Amino acid sequence: MKANNLACPIDGERLTLDKKQLRCVNGHSFDLARQGYVNLLPVQHKRSKHPGDSKAMVMARQRFLDTGVYTPLADLLSDILCKTMADLEQPCCLDAGCGEGYYLAHALNKLRAKKAGDELNLIGLDISKEAVLAAAKRHKEISWVVGTNRQPPVLPASVDIILCVFGFHSFQGFNKILPLGGKLLLVEPGPDHLQELRQVTYAKLNKTAPNKLDDAFSKGFKQVHEQVLRFNTPPLTSETLKDLLLMTPHFFRATQQGREAAAQLDNVSLTVDVIFRSLEKTEDDKTNLESPTAVVSGLPSM
Ligand SMILES: C[S@@+](CC[C@H](N)C(=O)[O-])C[C@H]1O[C@@H](n2cnc3c(N)ncnc32)[C@H](O)[C@@H]1O
Ligand SMILES: [Zn+2]
């Protein structure tokens, strides 16, 4: 666990590592779990007892990602990260809504070829304790943290690049922890993403429009680049398709009939259509910051 820039979720003070605890000057302390993560989500920042993805969703996502079907996504993400971090000294990357850590762990393996591990500060943040618990098993060199994107528990302007992969955005929270010129990489489903699956689960197939970035623009970001990654997966088994359904909101939005129809699918190739949008912080967020207690977990975009 690197405590370089972790901050107390209660008062925002710097946390320092003291034996197996992170502490701030005001005496708040947070135990490092023996599995190698830290919980920086105080109870007043929770809307439910177990916010974020459930254990079943986390396990389904892990099984799915470990098949390697999304390797092209992870490769492109890692390439972008390597380019962004190449010229920075001691760069810090925060994966906001890291899930069970697949993308950040993949990126670390690639980054290692270019930079020594101790030159890097990678933080995986997720509101789901189950997700962070699974992520901590992937890589010990990454600091895995339970916390919320709305108030990421890191010091202001201390992160060089934020990743948000199919995740829950908080442009206010993101603005606060980036310096001017800091980068935000959003990875989101494009209009045809998983259309074969959506076709079966919904009565009518709607093309999903990419999220508008108006909220980001009003919170001090501009878009600097956009690229689309599109490919067809090899035919997927019914087990893998079930995992994919379970890890996405399609499962929750589908009707019973849709779920039953999806359960019959086997040996189906899917369209992957994903948009990578790079944003840059151009100014501090001038809108009111949320009060420390007004924290909500929302359904992510995929
Ligand atoms: C669709 S999953 C994506 C996970 C991972 N990025 C991936 O693509 O494999 C969205 C993740 O966001 C997390 N999440 C939801 N609300 C959050 C919040 N307010 N702060 C941080 N994470 C959140 C969920 O627990 C879940 O792990
Ligand atoms: Zn404190």
Side-chain angles (χ1 to χ4, degrees), residues 164-185:
C164 193
V165 186
F166 304 124
F168 172 80
H169 311 146
S170 166
F171 296 111
Q172 261 178 349
F174 295 165
N175 184 300
K176 202 173 157 198
I177 62 171
L178 289 172
L180 288 176
K183 303 285 187 295
L184 168 60
L185 179 63

Side-chain angles (χ1 to χ4, degrees), residues 17 56 100 217:
L17 193 56
E100 50 66 69
F217 300 151

Side-chain angles (χ1 to χ4, degrees), residues 52-94:
D53 282 8
S54 66
K55 185 170 183 177
M57 289 172 81
V58 170
M59 292 299 129
R61 180 168 300 112
Q62 186 152 62
R63 283 192 301 270
F64 175 80
L65 292 171
D66 282 344
T67 63
V69 171
Y70 274 9
T71 305
L73 261 84
D75 282 342
L76 180 56
L77 188 88
S78 303
D79 288 347
I80 297 173
L81 210 54
C82 284
K83 274 190 208 133
T84 313
M85 291 170 93
D87 300 328
L88 301 172
E89 269 178 46
Q90 306 273 336
C92 175
C93 167
L94 178 123

Side-chain angles (χ1 to χ4, degrees), residues 7-15 23-30:
C8 175
I10 297 163
D11 52 31
E13 294 289 346
R14 178 184 292 279
L15 289 173
R23 287 171 184 274
C24 83
V25 284
N26 295 324
H28 302 120
S29 64
F30 305 88

Side-chain angles (χ1 to χ4, degrees), residues 41 45 51-54 57-58 61-62 65 70 73 95-103 125-129 131-132 145-151 163-170 174 187 247-249 295-302:
L41 186 70
H45 287 192
D53 282 8
S54 66
M57 289 172 81
V58 170
R61 180 168 300 112
Q62 186 152 62
L65 292 171
Y70 274 9
L73 261 84
D95 186 352
C98 63
E100 50 66 69
Y102 172 76
Y103 294 101
L125 177 73
D126 201 286
I127 204 165
S128 157
K129 189 177 153 192
V132 174
V145 178
V146 181
T148 173
N149 289 351
R150 291 191 183 253
Q151 288 161 289
L163 308 177
C164 193
V165 186
F166 304 124
F168 172 80
H169 311 146
S170 166
F174 295 165
V187 181
M247 72 186 232
T248 68
V295 170
V296 198
S297 153
L299 195 63
S301 53
M302 187 198 135

